[in-house]
Amino acid sequence: FFSILQQDMAQAPADTMAAEEQPYISETANVRRETMSERWNRKVMMAPLVPIGAGLTVVSLVGAMVAYRRGNSMWSQRFQRGRVFWQTVTLVALVISGVGTK
């Protein structure tokens, strides 16, 4: 039994090599790929609130770090609350924009 199994295993790579040597020609080989800026613009048009929310999240985070560094705990806390708010807005925008896609 083991000798038959070893023979089958020895023959398996040879069988798959023939299939791997055949070139695969894609049906979309002649389609032009979009550039990064074209993709960015398409994604922003699909969900404009996502990059806006992400940007405001970053601004809030940087503001909180600056306020903390300066020792102003009240403003640091306000910026952190703003960061949580903008993260929530961004997440909701992502979910809403994902509902309409395939």
Side-chain angles (χ1 to χ4, degrees):
F1 173 74
F2 290 111
S3 64
I4 295 171
L5 182 62
Q6 288 175 346
Q7 288 174 356
D8 288 341
M9 290 178 67
Q11 292 174 358
D15 294 338
T16 57
M17 286 296 282
E20 289 175 2
E21 291 174 2
Q22 297 176 355
Y24 174 74
I25 299 174
S26 173
E27 294 176 4
T28 59
N30 294 330
V31 176
R32 185 182 73 85
R33 295 180 58 136
E34 64 185 351
T35 63
M36 289 288 282
S37 62
E38 289 172 341
R39 182 175 181 183
W40 172 261
N41 290 335
R42 181 174 53 86
K43 296 284 186 178
V44 168
M45 290 299 147
M46 287 173 52
L49 290 179
V50 174
I52 292 170
L56 290 172
T57 301
V58 170
V59 168
S60 295
L61 181 61
V62 170
M65 290 182 350
V66 168
Y68 179 77
R69 187 86 166 137
R70 291 182 179 170
N72 193 342
S73 62
M74 183 180 72
W75 276 102
S76 178
Q77 194 61 244
R78 286 181 182 172
F79 275 117
Q80 287 289 8
R81 289 179 185 149
R83 178 190 58 84
V84 171
F85 173 77
W86 290 118
Q87 280 181 323
T88 304
V89 168
T90 305
L91 182 63
V92 169
L94 275 169
V95 169
I96 290 173
S97 66
V99 170
T101 60
K102 292 181 183 177

